């Protein structure tokens, strides 16, 4: 993958901060859609399976809109979507592996999808015209995800016992790496703040607390006390070590239907 100014066939060049930011959002949405789609069948009820399907479609559609923004940054959106290996994905580590159970699914709707919405709000509040025009519609569609996730999180937390314990375990496993993704504390993000592309980290942190602290508290989690996990931090991909599973990336790229692509 080469960015603006990259030479074809040359070594891969790191994307500029704005391009990197768009990739982190788009890749996380694409992988989140894959993980949601795994639960269209096997969820607790027909209604929840339909919800999983609807949310998966939302995430895939949002990812496509975000990838399309990269054209203005000197990238070929088709190449970005359909040719990258797993090691070049910029997605949240919590999505590297399939959700083990419905507690994982529910925690991801609250933690990962919630963090994504905060990141999108920050981007839409900046001065990048495409974000300002396209993201508000995404956020409107995301409102259902929030209601669904909060309702199920509350339901499992109120059930107590094993359900609450498993929910707390799942959310706590996702939070540190997701917070590091949302609040990267690095030079690239600082440059986006300085350029007016996104909100400062303190305001993003404040919005995250406003959105998630109360619902997480139902599972005994004090969000203000959770520290972002930056061990082995990869500043280019804005995440820790590892990558999405190859099976998920093959699905995200559409490998099985490559010969049928019509753009």
């Amino acid at each position: 993958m080469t960015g603006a100014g990259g030479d074809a066939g040359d070594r891969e060049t790191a994307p500029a901060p704005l391009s990197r930011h768009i990739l982190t959002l788009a890749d996380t949405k694409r992988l989140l859609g894959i993980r949601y789609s795994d639960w269209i069948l096997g969820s607790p009820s027909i209604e929840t399976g339909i919800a999983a399907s609807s949310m998966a479609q939302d995430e895939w559609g949002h990812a496509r809109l975000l990838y399309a923004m990269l054209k203005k940054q000197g990238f070929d959106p088709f190449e970005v979507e359909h040719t990258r290996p797993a090691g070049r994905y910029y997605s949240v580590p919590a999505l590297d592996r399939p959700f083990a159970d419905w507690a994982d699914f529910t925690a991801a709707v609250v933690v990962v999808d919630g963090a994504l919405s905060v990141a999108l709000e920050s981007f839409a509040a900046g001065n990048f015209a495409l974000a300002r025009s396209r993201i508000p519609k995404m956020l409107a569609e995301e409102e259902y995800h929030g209601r669904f996730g909060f309702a199920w999180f509350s339901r499992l937390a109120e059930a107590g016992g094993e359900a609450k314990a498993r929910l707390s375990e799942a959310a706590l496993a996702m939070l540190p790496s997701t917070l590091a993704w949302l609040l990267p504390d690095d030079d690239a993000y600082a440059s986006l703040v300085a350029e007016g592309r996104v909100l400062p980290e303190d305001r993003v942190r404040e919005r995250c607390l406003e959105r998630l602290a109360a619902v997480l508290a139902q599972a005994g989690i004090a969000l203000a006390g959770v520290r972002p996990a930056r061990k082995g931090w990869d500043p280019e991909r804005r995440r820790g070590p590892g990558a999405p599973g190859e099976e998920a990336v093959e699905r995200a790229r559409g490998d099985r239907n490559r010969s049928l692509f019509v753009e």
Side-chain angles (χ1 to χ4, degrees):
M1 179 176 65
T2 53
D7 296 324
D10 199 354
R11 64 180 177 80
E12 290 182 333
T13 56
L18 178 58
S19 300
R20 186 195 73 161
H21 187 64
I22 295 169
L23 280 167
T24 65
L25 296 169
D27 284 352
T28 297
K29 278 192 165 289
R30 176 59 62 86
L31 265 295
L32 185 58
I34 292 290
R35 298 309 180 202
Y36 283 165
S37 74
D38 292 336
W39 287 85
I40 294 173
L41 300 176
S43 57
S45 65
I46 292 175
E47 291 76 16
T48 51
I50 292 171
S53 174
S54 176
M55 293 193 297
Q57 290 179 71
D58 285 343
E59 301 301 351
W60 290 330
H62 298 169
R64 293 221 73 186
L65 288 172
L66 288 161
Y67 286 130
M69 293 183 189
L70 291 168
K71 190 170 185 179
K72 295 283 189 181
Q73 311 305 312
F75 289 87
D76 177 354
F78 183 89
E79 177 187 335
V80 171
E81 279 196 75
H82 301 297
T83 68
R84 284 179 299 151
R88 297 295 295 169
Y89 269 69
Y90 292 62
S91 48
V92 168
L95 305 176
D96 285 356
R97 298 292 176 265
F99 300 147
D101 53 25
W102 190 249
D104 261 356
F105 183 104
T106 302
V109 180
V110 171
V111 174
V112 179
D113 214 337
L116 260 172
S117 290
V118 172
L120 288 170
E121 289 170 0
S122 171
F123 199 22
N127 59 17
F128 185 53
L130 287 175
R132 293 180 67 88
S133 64
R134 296 183 182 180
I135 288 178
K137 185 175 185 295
M138 297 184 200
L139 290 170
E141 293 171 348
E142 287 285 343
E143 289 180 5
Y144 171 74
H145 301 204
R147 292 195 301 271
F148 179 88
F150 288 7
W152 264 100
F153 199 96
S154 297
R155 182 174 180 178
L156 294 178
E158 289 169 1
E162 183 179 350
K164 182 177 180 179
R166 178 68 194 99
L167 181 67
S168 178
E169 177 187 25
L172 283 171
M174 295 177 183
L175 274 166
S177 61
T178 303
L179 290 176
W181 171 88
L182 179 64
L183 305 165
D185 190 27
D186 60 20
D187 291 342
Y189 191 87
S191 71
L192 292 176
V193 174
E195 294 166 4
R197 303 298 198 186
V198 296
L199 296 175
E201 280 202 23
D202 59 343
R203 292 183 62 188
V204 174
R205 184 179 292 104
E206 181 180 314
R207 289 194 178 198
C208 184
L209 287 169
E210 289 174 354
R211 179 182 292 270
L212 302 181
V215 67
L216 290 170
Q218 296 178 68
I221 298 170
L223 180 58
V226 179
R227 301 293 182 185
R230 298 193 177 95
K231 185 177 181 180
W233 186 253
D234 181 343
E236 181 192 330
R237 293 192 300 146
R238 204 166 102 181
R239 54 164 289 157
E246 189 61 37
E247 182 269 344
V249 173
E250 288 175 357
R251 291 163 64 193
R253 289 191 305 240
D255 287 3
R256 290 188 180 182
N257 295 303
R258 181 65 52 81
S259 63
L260 302 177
F261 282 168
V262 177
E263 289 287 333

